[in-house]
Amino acid sequence: MPIIVLERLPLPNLKTYTGASVLALSACIYYATHIVKDPDWNKPKSDLDVSPSNNEDFINNNTNHSSPDDRTFSQFTGDTFSVMTKEPICVWIMINMAYCWLILIGRCVQKFVFGQLRVSEQQHLEEKFWNFVFYKFIFVFGVINVQYLEEVLLWCSWFSLLGFLHLLSQLGKDRFEYLSFSPTTPAWSHVKLLGLLGCIFVFSLFMFLISIFVGFFQGLNTFAFMSAEVILLGIRTLHVIVRYALHLYDICRDTNGSLSRDTATALEKRGPVIYYIELGFELNALIIDFVHHMHMLLWSNIFLSMASLVICMQLRYLFHEMQRRWKKHRNYLWVLNHMEQNYPMASAEEIAANSDNCAICWEKMETARKLPCSHLFHTMCLQSWLEQDKSCPTCRLALNIESPSDNRPESPEIQHNAPQPARRPLNHFFHFDGSRYVSWLPSFSVEVSQLPRLSRAPNSQLDAMARQVQQLFPHYLLPTIIEDLRVTRSVELTIENILDGRLNSQTLRESETISTTSSNVPLSILQSNVEQPDTSSSQNWDDINEENVENEDGIAVGSRFSKSPSEREQILHKRKEKLIQTARKRYVDKQRTPIST
Amino acid sequence: MAGSALRRLMAEYKQLTLNPPEGIIAGPINEENFFEWEALITGPEGTCFEGGVFPAKLIFPCDYPLSPPKMQFTCEMFHPNIYSDGRVCISILHAPGDDPMGYESSAERWSPVQSVEKILLSVVSMLAEPNDESGANVDAAKMWRENREEFNKIADRIVRKTLGIYIRE
């Protein structure tokens, strides 16, 4: 809401502002009535267009204004109004009053639905507000290049209303996300928020109708310009509403408690549906926004102006967003397909034998998928994890997945297999990292290598480099080295990393028995040094684990998990205090003993 | 998405309340927001942080447990693996994808199998055994290596500060 911005600027507060606006308006009305009262006043009827919001004030003003009657009341007010619309100052005052109303309405909605805004919500609003103002300014003065004041006023009032709804919708989304962080939200706040979102959606439908109506007279372009933002508003609001409904459904399911097998399988099936709904909403919003901007750019012949630059930037951003979303979707499909093919559903006996819950969501498994390492997970849980990482969550077994996004172009490979007379362990290696100089320069490496072809032919530069490193450090796993090489892109740096012990050393797996015979091992001392901190720390970790297991029973007595949130809070608070107090006591006791002895 | 995260956090909270590891308490700061927790960690015995009770804030992402939470001590800390603003730098808190330091194998990084309890336990072991190679706080790492006595003094001062004891004997 603009209020927040107003609060930041050295502007009068809302009360003074409202007071001043009302005062100015009454002065204006007084002036108008004064003129109208004059018998010489004649009335040429001219249809000056006034922003629609003025009507609102007009109606309002009627109520607190009474006049001595020569004419009928409605005639008189009609005259007053037409005088006011002709006087520029009066028009501005009325516009100001309209904004004042908008702000007041916003305040009321905020008080009623949201209460105190959180800091992040305020920041979001502020950002969104200025963004909106900026883009609409560009649109009105840069793109459609309005000539007449009336037109500007019309567009401004349209966008003010639209922006207002946009801000409310954004606020609703933020608040929904916040509410979904809590397991216990009073139903009343859900109702209020959903009501507001519903209202916004209805309003957006209404505005869509207006834009159709206007478009009917003004042509397709105006319609497209007007409706694009409205549709965006509608989509975003509807998206939040749908998410909200799903969330509420989830919560209800939770409180109902026990899941039957049927509902569990239904849930599994529901996952993809939800995913596609989300995808649909997001992609649609992006596409409409994109087309809208494209339309602006093409329609207005503003190829060489600041406005076009801004629009191009926005287009670029939207394009990247679409691309990102699409890539994510492809990854999703790919993982889904991969899972279907490679990881079978676990049989009922297997699930029964595995008494644990799903390690990802900690919930009971009615159906599950089995990884090659025979760990079981929910299909949906596994899916969302595999989208971001290709390993078993439990044992870290690297799954043999090469997703489409994985074969991203490595640095362009230029391999010369120049024949070399002798087998030299050292390769000529040249690495150029262009991004260090200018961001768009590519980085590439050139190697003149003569490596003994191993069982699996090294198909990339990295592989070759990794093997080179592994010759020096046979006890490091190849994938570990490759990973490090991906970052350093140079053999020397990786070796340095290993020497500094920054790489996690692991014993060689049987499958990776690579000709290590040729490696001379002058670094054995270093290696043992490297290994030591790792093992010791892991041992320590185990110790602590065991210690805690032993002590668990002692503490567990007396602590319980309450169902009521406030009681939980209190118990937690008490436990914290107790912990600090005992620690304090222990510390003081310990300080005393050496003194007393 | 937030729904499953919420359920899992609730389960973890329950577990941590019913079977708390010794010297560790963790739970949401406010029941209104289950994605921000406070944890109290007791300094491990036999180390320079012994006896201190260190408060830390855990902030969970809405796709938890797919992404790790962020952890930040809210008291003053002086430790090689804790940034001066309190952020904790241990591999278990790093998502498999990103690698800020560029040298961790993915095996020791975050996975959904990890939990708040495991994080806190590894922070305890980090307090006991700093890894002076990942220098989140270079000064602390240097002092830890070169001037252990001074380091212990600072640690003791911090311990007393967390306990609210300011008397010098």
Side-chain angles (χ1 to χ4, degrees):
Chain A
M1 251 158 287
I3 314 158
I4 294 136
V5 183
L6 289 175
E7 272 168 4
R8 276 205 133 195
L9 298 173
L11 284 176
N13 67 3
L14 188 62
K15 262 187 200 156
T16 350
Y17 173 64
T18 317
S21 305
V22 170
L23 206 69
L25 190 73
S26 15
C28 176
I29 290 167
Y30 175 75
Y31 167 76
T33 47
H34 200 69
I35 290 183
V36 173
K37 261 192 243 163
D38 195 358
D40 291 341
W41 132 269
N42 52 352
K43 22 193 158 150
K45 286 264 175 186
S46 73
D47 277 294
L48 259 175
D49 253 329
V50 189
S51 69
S53 42
N54 287 347
N55 293 328
E56 205 178 2
D57 304 321
F58 170 58
I59 293 156
N60 174 54
N61 300 334
N62 276 339
T63 52
N64 53 25
H65 170 76
S66 63
S67 57
D69 274 26
D70 323 14
R71 293 151 274 215
T72 63
F73 183 72
S74 60
Q75 238 181 341
F76 186 79
T77 44
D79 287 346
T80 318
F81 185 62
S82 64
V83 170
M84 281 169 77
T85 51
K86 269 174 230 148
E87 202 66 39
I89 297 180
C90 291
V91 172
W92 286 117
I93 287 175
M94 284 197 288
I95 291 172
N96 174 52
M97 197 60 212
Y99 278 104
C100 185
W101 266 107
L102 207 57
I103 292 171
L104 282 176
I105 292 172
R107 233 314 138 78
C108 289
V109 171
Q110 182 221 321
K111 275 248 167 75
F112 179 66
V113 180
F114 299 104
Q116 187 68 39
L117 292 186
R118 293 178 310 120
V119 180
S120 69
E121 284 170 343
Q122 286 192 9
Q123 280 170 350
H124 264 173
L125 272 192
E126 222 166 281
E127 234 166 69
K128 182 115 182 160
F129 174 74
W130 286 116
N131 237 350
F132 195 83
V133 168
F134 177 70
Y135 277 104
K136 292 314 148 197
F137 186 84
I138 296 256
F139 174 73
V140 171
F141 297 105
V143 178
I144 53 175
N145 223 341
V146 280
Q147 305 291 340
Y148 304 104
L149 190 64
E150 294 84 57
E151 243 180 293
V152 175
L153 285 182
L154 271 179
W155 276 114
C156 282
S157 52
W158 173 257
F159 282 133
S160 305
L161 203 55
L162 202 55
F164 178 70
L165 291 177
H166 258 303
L167 289 183
L168 277 185
S169 162
Q170 170 78 34
L171 198 57
K173 183 178 161 226
D174 281 351
R175 185 48 67 94
F176 154 65
E177 273 163 10
Y178 179 68
L179 286 185
S180 71
F181 279 2
S182 161
T184 47
T185 310
W188 178 229
S189 48
H190 286 310
V191 172
K192 280 195 288 191
L193 194 53
L194 265 177
L196 176 69
L197 287 168
C199 283
I200 297 173
F201 185 66
V202 170
F203 258 105
S204 71
L205 286 182
F206 180 65
M207 289 181 80
F208 186 65
L209 287 181
I210 293 180
S211 65
I212 290 178
F213 180 73
V214 174
F216 192 70
F217 294 107
Q218 299 285 322
L220 204 60
N221 276 314
T222 317
F223 165 69
F225 283 140
M226 281 174 84
S227 59
E229 280 286 343
V230 177
I231 294 174
L232 274 180
L233 173 69
I235 287 183
R236 279 177 194 152
T237 314
L238 197 60
H239 187 187
V240 180
I241 292 176
V242 169
R243 276 173 65 194
Y244 210 139
L246 286 172
H247 174 70
L248 286 184
Y249 177 77
D250 263 7
I251 287 183
C252 289
R253 185 172 60 82
D254 272 5
T255 47
N256 285 345
S258 57
L259 282 173
S260 71
R261 207 190 153 91
D262 291 344
T263 51
T265 44
L267 268 180
E268 295 275 296
K269 288 212 180 87
R270 210 177 56 130
V273 176
I274 294 176
Y275 175 81
Y276 277 106
I277 291 176
E278 289 267 320
L279 180 76
F281 273 120
E282 280 171 35
L283 269 187
N284 265 325
L286 283 174
I287 288 170
I288 288 172
D289 214 358
F290 188 80
V291 171
H292 177 51
H293 279 87
M294 210 63 181
H295 181 203
M296 280 201 257
L297 191 66
L298 296 177
W299 181 75
S300 55
N301 286 325
I302 46 159
F303 285 104
L304 285 173
S305 72
M306 273 312 272
S308 66
L309 188 72
V310 171
I311 292 175
C312 281
M313 298 262 280
Q314 184 68 9
L315 275 176
R316 184 170 150 263
Y317 163 75
L318 287 170
F319 180 72
H320 276 294
E321 281 296 296
M322 283 200 288
Q323 212 181 15
R324 197 180 55 82
R325 197 68 191 80
W326 186 246
K327 261 191 197 152
K328 213 175 135 198
H329 177 58
R330 272 201 7 215
N331 192 29
Y332 170 86
L333 287 183
W334 198 88
V335 169
L336 194 68
N337 190 25
H338 181 84
M339 279 198 341
E340 290 291 340
Q341 282 175 358
N342 299 348
Y343 313 132
M345 298 298 286
S347 62
E349 297 91 64
E350 278 173 324
I351 294 176
N354 181 336
S355 56
D356 287 346
N357 289 345
C358 167
I360 296 178
C361 65
W362 286 26
E363 276 169 58
K364 204 160 173 290
M365 285 188 282
E366 301 289 348
T367 60
R369 267 182 204 278
K370 198 172 126 188
L371 288 180
C373 49
S374 73
H375 287 119
L376 304 183
F377 301 98
H378 281 130
T379 310
M380 285 312 296
C381 298
L382 188 62
Q383 158 94 39
S384 42
W385 171 248
L386 289 183
E387 272 172 49
Q388 63 179 72
D389 195 72
K390 319 287 180 225
S391 66
C392 166
T394 306
C395 64
R396 290 289 188 182
L397 172 77
L399 302 168
N400 263 334
I401 302 184
E402 282 209 8
S403 79
S405 61
D406 249 19
N407 46 26
R408 66 185 98 91
E410 290 295 355
S411 43
E413 289 171 23
I414 308 164
Q415 269 197 344
H416 295 288
N417 276 337
Q420 284 204 327
R423 216 180 245 197
R424 272 203 234 149
L426 224 78
N427 298 320
H428 299 281
F429 180 79
F430 169 65
H431 173 68
F432 175 70
D433 189 0
S435 56
R436 282 163 85 183
Y437 308 103
V438 188
S439 61
W440 45 266
L441 270 176
S443 50
F444 61 90
S445 31
V446 180
E447 185 179 351
V448 185
S449 65
Q450 181 73 35
L451 277 169
R453 292 267 148 175
L454 301 166
S455 53
R456 240 184 314 131
N459 51 0
S460 84
Q461 199 78 32
L462 272 179
D463 226 351
M465 280 153 64
R467 270 155 215 285
Q468 196 188 337
V469 176
Q470 208 188 26
Q471 283 198 340
L472 294 172
F473 302 94
H475 64 293
Y476 277 84
L477 274 181
L478 204 58
T480 321
I481 298 172
I482 290 181
E483 222 179 288
D484 191 63
L485 277 170
R486 248 191 209 125
V487 179
T488 58
R489 290 181 181 285
S490 111
V491 176
E492 281 87 345
L493 281 176
T494 299
I495 290 177
E496 227 173 85
N497 278 345
I498 292 176
L499 290 180
D500 290 350
R502 282 181 219 140
L503 229 67
N504 185 35
S505 68
Q506 279 162 324
T507 44
L508 204 69
R509 267 188 287 167
E510 291 127 322
S511 59
E512 304 272 349
T513 41
I514 297 159
S515 56
T516 52
T517 43
S518 62
S519 63
N520 43 357
V521 200
L523 297 158
S524 53
I525 307 156
L526 271 170
Q527 280 159 16
S528 58
N529 271 347
V530 169
E531 265 173 300
Q532 223 149 30
D534 264 10
T535 47
S536 62
S537 75
S538 67
Q539 230 159 32
N540 197 290
W541 159 249
D542 285 342
D543 286 351
I544 287 165
N545 248 338
E546 272 165 28
E547 238 175 60
N548 283 311
V549 170
E550 283 164 17
N551 284 321
E552 252 170 30
D553 297 328
I555 298 260
V557 185
S559 55
R560 66 199 181 85
F561 194 68
S562 165
K563 283 231 157 140
S564 120
S566 55
E567 206 178 337
R568 275 200 303 254
E569 238 169 34
Q570 276 175 4
I571 290 176
L572 184 68
H573 192 71
K574 270 184 199 151
R575 282 176 59 213
K576 280 179 183 168
E577 268 180 2
K578 202 175 153 202
L579 180 75
I580 294 177
Q581 262 166 19
T582 44
R584 198 175 289 158
K585 213 169 154 195
R586 202 181 293 163
Y587 186 87
V588 172
D589 286 350
K590 210 171 162 200
Q591 293 295 316
R592 268 191 207 136
T593 38
I595 297 167
S596 60
T597 47
Chain B
M1 211 152 49
S4 58
L6 199 58
R7 281 198 293 278
R8 157 112 187 215
L9 282 172
M10 189 59 120
E12 291 204 33
Y13 183 28
K14 191 171 178 181
Q15 202 205 37
L16 277 167
T17 309
L18 296 180
N19 296 315
E22 203 204 350
I24 290 178
I25 291 178
I29 297 173
N30 184 340
E31 287 272 341
E32 264 180 31
N33 184 355
F34 245 70
F35 287 63
E36 274 186 41
W37 285 29
E38 191 190 43
L40 293 183
I41 298 170
T42 312
E45 273 172 44
T47 69
C48 52
F49 292 103
E50 180 177 345
V53 176
F54 307 102
K57 215 159 114 185
L58 284 155
I59 294 176
F60 297 89
C62 57
D63 64 344
Y64 182 80
L66 297 177
S67 307
K70 290 192 177 69
M71 183 170 175
Q72 186 170 21
F73 277 99
T74 47
C75 62
E76 185 195 337
M77 271 311 225
F78 190 72
H79 187 280
N81 307 116
I82 301 174
Y83 289 98
S84 45
D85 63 352
R87 276 179 301 127
V88 180
C89 176
I90 46 173
S91 54
I92 194 179
L93 286 177
H94 295 151
D98 61 53
D99 190 355
M101 296 311 199
Y103 49 75
E104 286 156 352
S105 79
S106 68
E108 50 194 29
R109 290 211 234 138
W110 176 256
S111 121
V113 178
Q114 311 289 2
S115 62
V116 177
E117 185 178 340
K118 285 185 190 158
I119 292 172
L120 295 179
L121 288 174
S122 42
V123 167
V124 169
S125 78
M126 176 201 80
L127 287 179
E129 297 239 340
N131 170 13
D132 59 354
E133 276 169 359
S134 90
N137 184 344
V138 183
D139 295 338
K142 201 172 163 209
M143 196 180 284
W144 169 262
R145 262 198 307 261
E146 291 164 7
N147 193 351
R148 192 63 64 89
E149 230 167 78
E150 186 67 30
F151 188 92
N152 289 348
K153 252 188 214 162
I154 292 179
D156 189 52
R157 184 176 59 76
I158 291 170
V159 165
R160 255 182 291 121
K161 204 171 162 190
T162 63
L163 294 175
I165 302 169
Y166 292 100
I167 324 133
R168 262 214 176 276
E169 71 273 17

